[in-house]
Coordinates of all heavy atoms in Angstrom, one line a residue:
L1 N -12.6 30.1 17.4 CA -13.2 31.1 16.6 C -14.7 31.3 17.0 O -15.1 32.4 17.0 CB -13.1 30.6 15.1 CG -13.5 31.7 14.1 CD1 -12.8 33.0 14.3 CD2 -13.3 31.1 12.7
M2 N -15.4 30.2 17.4 CA -16.7 30.4 17.8 C -16.8 31.3 19.0 O -17.7 32.1 19.2 CB -17.4 29.0 18.0 CG -18.9 29.1 18.3 SD -19.7 29.8 16.8 CE -21.4 29.4 17.3
Q3 N -15.9 31.1 20.0 CA -15.9 31.9 21.2 C -15.7 33.4 20.8 O -16.3 34.3 21.4 CB -14.8 31.5 22.2 CG -15.2 30.2 22.8 CD -14.1 29.7 23.7 OE1 -13.0 30.2 23.7 NE2 -14.4 28.6 24.5
F4 N -14.8 33.7 19.9 CA -14.5 35.0 19.4 C -15.8 35.6 18.8 O -16.2 36.7 19.1 CB -13.4 35.0 18.3 CG -13.4 36.3 17.6 CD1 -12.8 37.5 18.2 CD2 -13.8 36.4 16.3 CE1 -12.7 38.6 17.5 CE2 -13.8 37.6 15.6 CZ -13.2 38.7 16.2
A5 N -16.5 34.8 18.0 CA -17.8 35.3 17.4 C -18.8 35.5 18.5 O -19.5 36.5 18.4 CB -18.3 34.2 16.4
R6 N -18.9 34.7 19.5 CA -19.9 34.9 20.6 C -19.6 36.2 21.3 O -20.5 37.0 21.6 CB -19.8 33.7 21.6 CG -20.5 32.5 21.1 CD -20.4 31.4 22.1 NE -20.9 30.2 21.6 CZ -20.4 29.0 21.9 NH1 -19.3 28.9 22.6 NH2 -21.0 27.9 21.4
R7 N -18.3 36.4 21.7 CA -18.0 37.6 22.4 C -18.2 38.8 21.5 O -18.8 39.8 22.0 CB -16.5 37.6 22.8 CG -16.2 36.8 24.0 CD -14.8 37.1 24.6 NE -13.8 37.0 23.6 CZ -13.1 35.9 23.3 NH1 -13.4 34.7 23.9 NH2 -12.2 35.9 22.4
R8 N -17.8 38.8 20.3 CA -17.9 39.9 19.4 C -19.4 40.2 19.1 O -19.8 41.4 19.0 CB -17.2 39.7 18.1 CG -17.2 40.7 17.1 CD -16.4 41.9 17.5 NE -16.6 42.9 16.4 CZ -16.2 44.1 16.5 NH1 -15.5 44.5 17.6 NH2 -16.4 45.0 15.6
L9 N -20.2 39.2 19.0 CA -21.6 39.4 18.7 C -22.4 39.8 19.9 O -23.5 40.3 19.8 CB -22.2 38.1 18.1 CG -21.7 37.8 16.7 CD1 -22.2 36.4 16.3 CD2 -22.1 38.8 15.7
G10 N -21.8 39.7 21.1 CA -22.4 40.1 22.3 C -23.7 39.3 22.7 O -24.6 39.8 23.3
V11 N -23.6 38.0 22.5 CA -24.7 37.1 22.8 C -24.2 36.0 23.7 O -23.1 35.6 23.6 CB -25.5 36.6 21.6 CG1 -26.1 37.7 20.8 CG2 -24.5 35.8 20.7
R12 N -25.1 35.5 24.5 CA -24.8 34.4 25.4 C -24.7 33.1 24.5 O -25.4 33.0 23.6 CB -25.8 34.2 26.5 CG -25.9 35.4 27.5 CD -26.8 35.1 28.6 NE -27.9 34.2 28.4 CZ -29.1 34.5 28.1 NH1 -29.4 35.8 28.0 NH2 -30.0 33.6 28.0
S13 N -23.9 32.2 25.0 CA -23.8 30.9 24.2 C -25.1 30.2 24.1 O -25.3 29.5 23.1 CB -22.7 30.0 24.8 OG -23.0 29.7 26.1
V14 N -25.9 30.3 25.1 CA -27.2 29.6 25.0 C -28.0 30.1 23.8 O -28.7 29.3 23.1 CB -28.0 29.8 26.3 CG1 -29.4 30.0 26.2 CG2 -27.7 28.6 27.3
I15 N -28.0 31.4 23.6 CA -28.7 32.0 22.5 C -28.1 31.5 21.1 O -28.8 31.2 20.2 CB -28.8 33.5 22.6 CG1 -29.6 33.9 23.8 CG2 -29.3 34.1 21.3 CD1 -29.5 35.4 24.1
V16 N -26.8 31.5 21.1 CA -26.1 31.1 19.9 C -26.4 29.7 19.6 O -26.8 29.3 18.4 CB -24.5 31.2 20.1 CG1 -23.8 30.6 18.9 CG2 -24.1 32.7 20.2
E17 N -26.4 28.8 20.6 CA -26.7 27.4 20.4 C -28.1 27.2 19.9 O -28.4 26.4 19.1 CB -26.4 26.6 21.6 CG -24.9 26.6 22.0 CD -24.0 26.2 20.9 OE1 -24.3 25.2 20.2 OE2 -22.9 26.8 20.8
H18 N -29.0 28.0 20.5 CA -30.5 27.9 20.1 C -30.6 28.3 18.6 O -31.3 27.6 17.9 CB -31.3 28.8 21.0 CG -32.7 28.9 20.5 ND1 -33.6 27.8 20.7 CD2 -33.4 29.8 19.9 CE1 -34.8 28.1 20.2 NE2 -34.7 29.4 19.7
M19 N -30.0 29.3 18.2 CA -30.2 29.8 16.8 C -29.5 28.7 15.9 O -30.0 28.5 14.8 CB -29.6 31.1 16.6 CG -30.4 32.2 17.4 SD -29.9 33.9 17.0 CE -30.7 34.1 15.5
L20 N -28.4 28.2 16.3 CA -27.7 27.2 15.4 C -28.6 26.0 15.3 O -28.6 25.4 14.2 CB -26.4 26.8 16.0 CG -25.3 27.9 16.0 CD1 -24.1 27.4 16.8 CD2 -24.9 28.2 14.6
T21 N -29.2 25.5 16.3 CA -30.0 24.3 16.3 C -31.4 24.5 15.8 O -32.0 23.6 15.1 CB -30.0 23.6 17.6 OG1 -30.5 24.4 18.6 CG2 -28.6 23.2 18.0
S22 N -32.0 25.6 16.1 CA -33.5 25.7 15.8 C -33.7 26.4 14.5 O -34.8 26.2 13.9 CB -34.2 26.5 16.9 OG -33.8 27.9 16.9
Q23 N -32.8 27.2 14.0 CA -33.0 27.9 12.7 C -32.0 27.6 11.6 O -32.1 28.2 10.6 CB -33.0 29.4 13.0 CG -34.1 29.8 14.0 CD -34.0 31.3 14.3 OE1 -33.3 32.1 13.7 NE2 -34.7 31.7 15.4
G24 N -31.1 26.7 12.0 CA -30.1 26.4 11.0 C -29.1 27.5 10.7 O -28.5 27.5 9.6
M25 N -28.9 28.4 11.6 CA -28.0 29.6 11.4 C -26.6 29.2 11.9 O -26.4 28.5 12.8 CB -28.5 30.8 12.2 CG -29.8 31.4 11.6 SD -30.3 32.9 12.5 CE -29.1 34.0 11.7
T26 N -25.6 29.7 11.1 CA -24.2 29.5 11.5 C -23.8 30.8 12.1 O -24.5 31.8 12.1 CB -23.4 29.2 10.3 OG1 -23.4 30.4 9.4 CG2 -23.9 28.0 9.5
A27 N -22.5 30.8 12.7 CA -21.9 32.0 13.2 C -21.9 33.1 12.1 O -22.0 34.3 12.4 CB -20.5 31.7 13.8
L28 N -21.6 32.7 10.9 CA -21.6 33.6 9.8 C -22.9 34.3 9.6 O -23.0 35.5 9.4 CB -21.1 32.9 8.5 CG -20.9 33.9 7.3 CD1 -19.9 35.0 7.5 CD2 -20.5 33.0 6.1
H29 N -24.0 33.5 9.6 CA -25.3 34.1 9.5 C -25.6 35.1 10.6 O -26.1 36.2 10.4 CB -26.4 33.0 9.6 CG -26.5 32.1 8.4 ND1 -26.1 30.8 8.5 CD2 -26.8 32.3 7.1 CE1 -26.3 30.2 7.3 NE2 -26.7 31.1 6.4
M30 N -25.2 34.8 11.8 CA -25.4 35.6 13.0 C -24.6 36.9 12.8 O -25.2 38.0 13.1 CB -25.1 34.9 14.3 CG -26.1 33.8 14.5 SD -25.7 32.8 16.0 CE -26.0 34.1 17.2
A31 N -23.4 36.8 12.4 CA -22.6 38.1 12.2 C -23.2 38.9 11.1 O -23.2 40.2 11.3 CB -21.1 37.7 11.9
A32 N -23.6 38.3 10.1 CA -24.3 39.1 9.0 C -25.6 39.7 9.4 O -25.9 40.8 9.1 CB -24.5 38.1 7.8
R33 N -26.3 39.0 10.3 CA -27.5 39.5 10.8 C -27.3 40.8 11.6 O -28.1 41.7 11.7 CB -28.2 38.4 11.6 CG -29.5 38.9 12.2 CD -30.2 37.7 13.0 NE -31.4 38.2 13.6 CZ -32.2 37.4 14.2 NH1 -31.9 36.2 14.4 NH2 -33.4 37.9 14.7
R34 N -26.2 40.8 12.4 CA -25.9 41.9 13.3 C -25.1 43.0 12.5 O -24.9 44.1 13.1 CB -25.1 41.4 14.4 CG -25.9 40.5 15.3 CD -25.8 40.5 16.7 NE -25.0 41.6 17.2 CZ -25.2 42.1 18.4 NH1 -26.2 41.6 19.2 NH2 -24.5 43.1 18.9
G35 N -24.7 42.8 11.3 CA -24.0 43.8 10.5 C -22.5 43.9 11.0 O -21.9 45.0 10.8
D36 N -21.9 42.8 11.5 CA -20.6 42.9 12.0 C -19.6 42.4 10.9 O -19.3 41.3 10.8 CB -20.4 42.0 13.2 CG -19.2 42.4 14.0 OD1 -18.1 42.7 13.4 OD2 -19.2 42.3 15.2
A37 N -19.1 43.4 10.1 CA -18.2 43.1 9.0 C -16.9 42.5 9.5 O -16.3 41.7 8.8 CB -17.9 44.3 8.2
I38 N -16.4 42.9 10.7 CA -15.1 42.3 11.2 C -15.3 40.8 11.5 O -14.4 40.0 11.1 CB -14.7 43.1 12.5 CG1 -14.4 44.5 12.2 CG2 -13.6 42.4 13.2 CD1 -14.2 45.4 13.4
V39 N -16.3 40.4 12.1 CA -16.5 39.0 12.4 C -16.8 38.2 11.1 O -16.3 37.1 10.9 CB -17.7 38.8 13.4 CG1 -18.0 37.3 13.5 CG2 -17.3 39.3 14.8
V40 N -17.6 38.8 10.2 CA -17.9 38.2 8.9 C -16.6 37.9 8.2 O -16.3 36.8 7.7 CB -18.8 39.0 8.0 CG1 -18.9 38.5 6.6 CG2 -20.2 39.1 8.6
R41 N -15.7 38.9 8.1 CA -14.4 38.7 7.4 C -13.6 37.7 8.1 O -13.0 36.8 7.4 CB -13.7 40.0 7.3 CG -12.4 39.9 6.5 CD -11.7 41.3 6.3 NE -12.6 42.3 5.8 CZ -12.8 42.5 4.5 NH1 -12.3 41.7 3.6 NH2 -13.6 43.5 4.1
A42 N -13.5 37.7 9.4 CA -12.7 36.7 10.2 C -13.3 35.3 9.9 O -12.5 34.3 9.7 CB -12.7 37.0 11.7
L43 N -14.6 35.1 10.0 CA -15.1 33.8 9.7 C -14.9 33.3 8.3 O -14.5 32.1 8.1 CB -16.6 33.8 10.0 CG -17.0 34.0 11.5 CD1 -18.5 34.3 11.6 CD2 -16.7 32.8 12.3
L44 N -15.0 34.2 7.4 CA -14.7 33.8 6.0 C -13.2 33.4 5.8 O -12.9 32.4 5.1 CB -15.1 34.9 5.0 CG -16.6 35.2 4.9 CD1 -16.8 36.5 4.1 CD2 -17.3 34.0 4.2
E45 N -12.3 34.2 6.4 CA -10.9 33.9 6.3 C -10.6 32.5 7.0 O -9.6 31.9 6.6 CB -10.1 35.0 6.9 CG -10.1 36.2 6.0 CD -9.4 37.4 6.7 OE1 -8.9 37.3 7.8 OE2 -9.3 38.5 6.0
A46 N -11.4 32.2 8.0 CA -11.2 30.9 8.7 C -11.9 29.7 8.0 O -11.8 28.6 8.4 CB -11.7 31.0 10.1
G47 N -12.5 30.0 6.8 CA -13.1 29.0 6.1 C -14.6 28.8 6.1 O -15.2 27.8 5.6
A48 N -15.3 29.7 6.7 CA -16.8 29.7 6.8 C -17.3 29.7 5.3 O -16.8 30.4 4.5 CB -17.4 30.8 7.6
D49 N -18.4 28.9 5.1 CA -19.0 28.8 3.8 C -20.2 29.7 3.7 O -21.2 29.6 4.3 CB -19.5 27.3 3.6 CG -20.1 27.1 2.2 OD1 -20.3 28.1 1.5 OD2 -20.4 25.9 1.9
P50 N -20.0 30.8 2.8 CA -21.1 31.8 2.7 C -22.3 31.3 2.0 O -23.3 32.0 1.9 CB -20.4 32.9 2.0 CG -19.3 32.3 1.2 CD -18.9 31.1 2.0
T51 N -22.2 30.1 1.4 CA -23.4 29.6 0.6 C -24.3 28.7 1.4 O -25.4 28.3 1.0 CB -22.9 28.7 -0.6 OG1 -22.2 27.6 -0.1 CG2 -22.0 29.6 -1.5
I52 N -23.9 28.4 2.7 CA -24.8 27.6 3.5 C -26.1 28.4 3.8 O -26.1 29.6 4.0 CB -24.1 27.2 4.9 CG1 -23.0 26.2 4.6 CG2 -25.1 26.6 5.9 CD1 -22.2 25.9 5.9
R53 N -27.2 27.7 3.7 CA -28.5 28.3 3.9 C -29.2 27.9 5.2 O -29.0 26.8 5.7 CB -29.5 28.0 2.7 CG -28.9 28.5 1.4 CD -29.9 28.2 0.3 NE -29.3 28.7 -1.0 CZ -29.4 30.0 -1.4 NH1 -30.1 30.9 -0.7 NH2 -28.9 30.3 -2.6
T54 N -29.9 28.9 5.8 CA -30.7 28.6 7.0 C -31.8 27.7 6.7 O -32.1 27.4 5.5 CB -31.2 29.9 7.6 OG1 -32.2 30.5 6.7 CG2 -30.1 30.9 7.9
D55 N -32.6 27.3 7.7 CA -33.8 26.5 7.5 C -34.8 27.3 6.6 O -35.6 26.7 6.0 CB -34.4 26.1 8.8 CG -33.6 25.2 9.6 OD1 -32.6 24.6 9.0 OD2 -33.8 25.0 10.8
A56 N -34.7 28.6 6.6 CA -35.6 29.4 5.8 C -35.1 29.6 4.4 O -35.7 30.3 3.6 CB -35.8 30.8 6.5
G57 N -33.9 29.0 4.1 CA -33.4 29.1 2.7 C -32.5 30.4 2.5 O -32.3 30.7 1.3
L58 N -32.1 31.0 3.5 CA -31.3 32.3 3.3 C -29.8 32.0 3.5 O -29.4 31.4 4.5 CB -31.7 33.3 4.3 CG -33.2 33.7 4.3 CD1 -33.5 34.7 5.4 CD2 -33.5 34.3 3.0
D59 N -29.0 32.5 2.6 CA -27.5 32.5 2.8 C -27.2 33.7 3.6 O -28.0 34.5 3.9 CB -26.8 32.3 1.5 CG -27.0 33.5 0.5 OD1 -27.5 34.6 1.0 OD2 -26.6 33.4 -0.6
A60 N -25.9 33.8 3.9 CA -25.5 35.0 4.8 C -25.7 36.3 4.2 O -26.1 37.3 4.8 CB -24.0 34.8 5.1
L61 N -25.6 36.4 2.9 CA -25.8 37.7 2.2 C -27.3 38.1 2.3 O -27.7 39.2 2.6 CB -25.4 37.6 0.7 CG -25.5 38.9 -0.1 CD1 -24.8 40.1 0.5 CD2 -25.0 38.7 -1.5
A62 N -28.2 37.1 2.1 CA -29.6 37.4 2.2 C -30.0 37.7 3.6 O -30.9 38.6 3.8 CB -30.4 36.1 1.7
V63 N -29.4 37.1 4.6 CA -29.6 37.4 6.0 C -29.2 38.9 6.3 O -30.0 39.6 6.9 CB -28.9 36.5 7.0 CG1 -28.9 37.0 8.4 CG2 -29.5 35.1 6.9
S64 N -28.1 39.3 5.8 CA -27.6 40.7 6.0 C -28.6 41.6 5.3 O -29.0 42.7 5.9 CB -26.2 40.8 5.3 OG -25.8 42.2 5.5
R65 N -29.0 41.3 4.2 CA -30.0 42.2 3.5 C -31.3 42.3 4.2 O -32.0 43.3 4.2 CB -30.1 41.8 2.0 CG -28.9 42.1 1.2 CD -29.0 41.7 -0.2 NE -27.9 42.1 -1.0 CZ -27.4 41.5 -2.1 NH1 -28.1 40.5 -2.6 NH2 -26.3 41.9 -2.7
A66 N -31.8 41.2 4.7 CA -33.0 41.1 5.4 C -33.0 41.9 6.7 O -34.1 42.4 7.1 CB -33.4 39.7 5.7
H67 N -31.9 42.0 7.4 CA -31.8 42.6 8.7 C -31.1 44.0 8.6 O -31.0 44.7 9.6 CB -31.1 41.7 9.7 CG -31.9 40.5 10.0 ND1 -32.9 40.5 10.9 CD2 -31.9 39.3 9.5 CE1 -33.5 39.4 11.0 NE2 -32.9 38.6 10.1
G68 N -30.6 44.4 7.5 CA -29.8 45.6 7.3 C -30.6 46.8 6.9 O -31.7 46.9 7.4
P69 N -30.0 47.6 6.0 CA -28.9 47.2 5.2 C -27.6 47.4 6.0 O -27.4 48.3 6.8 CB -29.0 48.2 4.1 CG -29.6 49.4 4.6 CD -30.6 48.9 5.7
Y70 N -26.6 46.5 5.7 CA -25.3 46.6 6.2 C -24.3 46.6 5.1 O -23.8 45.5 4.7 CB -25.0 45.4 7.2 CG -26.0 45.3 8.3 CD1 -26.8 44.2 8.5 CD2 -26.0 46.4 9.3 CE1 -27.6 44.2 9.6 CE2 -26.8 46.3 10.4 CZ -27.7 45.2 10.5 OH -28.5 45.1 11.6
P71 N -24.0 47.7 4.5 CA -23.2 47.8 3.3 C -21.8 47.1 3.4 O -21.4 46.5 2.5 CB -23.1 49.3 3.0 CG -24.3 49.9 3.7 CD -24.5 49.1 4.9
A72 N -21.2 47.3 4.6 CA -19.8 46.7 4.8 C -19.9 45.2 4.7 O -19.1 44.5 4.1 CB -19.2 47.2 6.1
V73 N -20.9 44.6 5.4 CA -21.1 43.2 5.4 C -21.4 42.7 4.0 O -20.8 41.7 3.5 CB -22.2 42.7 6.4 CG1 -22.5 41.3 6.2 CG2 -21.7 43.0 7.8
E74 N -22.3 43.4 3.3 CA -22.7 43.0 2.0 C -21.6 43.0 1.0 O -21.5 42.2 0.1 CB -23.9 43.8 1.6 CG -25.2 43.5 2.4 CD -26.4 44.3 2.1 OE1 -26.4 44.9 1.0 OE2 -27.3 44.4 2.9
E75 N -20.7 44.0 1.2 CA -19.6 44.2 0.3 C -18.6 43.0 0.5 O -18.2 42.4 -0.5 CB -18.8 45.5 0.6 CG -17.6 45.7 -0.2 CD -17.9 46.1 -1.6 OE1 -19.0 46.5 -1.9 OE2 -17.0 46.0 -2.5
V76 N -18.4 42.6 1.7 CA -17.5 41.4 2.0 C -18.1 40.2 1.4 O -17.4 39.4 0.7 CB -17.3 41.2 3.5 CG1 -16.6 39.9 3.8 CG2 -16.5 42.4 4.1
L77 N -19.4 39.9 1.6 CA -20.0 38.7 1.2 C -20.2 38.6 -0.3 O -20.1 37.6 -0.9 CB -21.4 38.5 1.9 CG -21.3 38.2 3.4 CD1 -22.7 38.3 4.0 CD2 -20.7 36.8 3.6
A78 N -20.5 39.8 -0.9 CA -20.8 39.8 -2.4 C -19.5 39.5 -3.2 O -19.6 39.1 -4.3 CB -21.3 41.1 -2.8
H79 N -18.4 39.7 -2.6 CA -17.1 39.5 -3.4 C -16.4 38.2 -3.0 O -15.2 38.1 -3.1 CB -16.2 40.7 -3.2 CG -16.8 41.9 -3.9 ND1 -17.6 42.8 -3.3 CD2 -16.7 42.3 -5.2 CE1 -18.0 43.7 -4.1 NE2 -17.4 43.4 -5.3
Q80 N -17.1 37.2 -2.5 CA -16.6 35.9 -2.2 C -16.5 35.1 -3.5 O -17.5 35.0 -4.3 CB -17.4 35.2 -1.2 CG -17.3 35.8 0.2 CD -15.9 35.8 0.7 OE1 -15.2 34.8 0.8 NE2 -15.4 37.0 1.0
P81 N -15.4 34.4 -3.7 CA -15.4 33.5 -4.9 C -16.4 32.3 -4.7 O -16.7 31.9 -3.6 CB -13.9 32.9 -4.9 CG -13.4 33.2 -3.5 CD -14.2 34.3 -2.9
D82 N -16.8 31.8 -5.8 CA -17.7 30.7 -5.8 C -17.0 29.5 -5.2 O -15.8 29.3 -5.5 CB -18.2 30.3 -7.2 CG -19.1 31.4 -7.7 OD1 -19.8 32.0 -7.0 OD2 -19.2 31.6 -9.0
P83 N -17.7 28.7 -4.4 CA -17.0 27.5 -3.7 C -16.7 26.4 -4.7 O -17.2 26.3 -5.8 CB -18.0 27.0 -2.7 CG -19.3 27.7 -3.0 CD -19.0 28.8 -3.9

């Protein structure tokens, strides 16, 4: 699934790994940041936790709002059941 996210997000794995390790971002955060509703939905269906926060304290919905607006992504994330 991570390889799918990398390909779909169009970033090299080195960049992905850097963001994961240096900013506390997950693949879900990165997809939300890019406004990719397809990857966001796929990650959520695979069990990604939308409540995980980055080192800056942002969950995936907040990341989407900070870098968007991405209405499709926000719609998917806003309607997730509470964990």
Side-chain angles (χ1 to χ4, degrees):
L1 189 56
M2 188 63 168
Q3 288 177 350
F4 167 75
R6 285 181 184 140
R7 280 194 310 271
R8 179 74 182 168
L9 293 171
V11 294
R12 296 186 336 261
S13 62
V14 141
I15 294 170
V16 171
E17 298 305 322
H18 173 72
M19 293 188 80
L20 291 172
T21 58
S22 70
Q23 299 175 15
M25 293 185 76
T26 65
L28 183 60
H29 290 112
M30 293 179 63
R33 180 179 180 176
R34 298 218 9 153
D36 196 326
I38 292 170
V39 172
V40 167
R41 187 176 305 276
L43 291 168
L44 291 170
E45 288 174 359
D49 182 352
T51 65
I52 292 175
R53 297 185 180 274
T54 65
D55 292 347
L58 303 174
D59 63 13
L61 183 57
V63 168
S64 177
R65 288 180 176 156
H67 293 276
Y70 300 119
V73 171
E74 292 176 20
E75 180 72 19
V76 171
L77 290 169
H79 291 91
Q80 289 301 301
D82 292 330

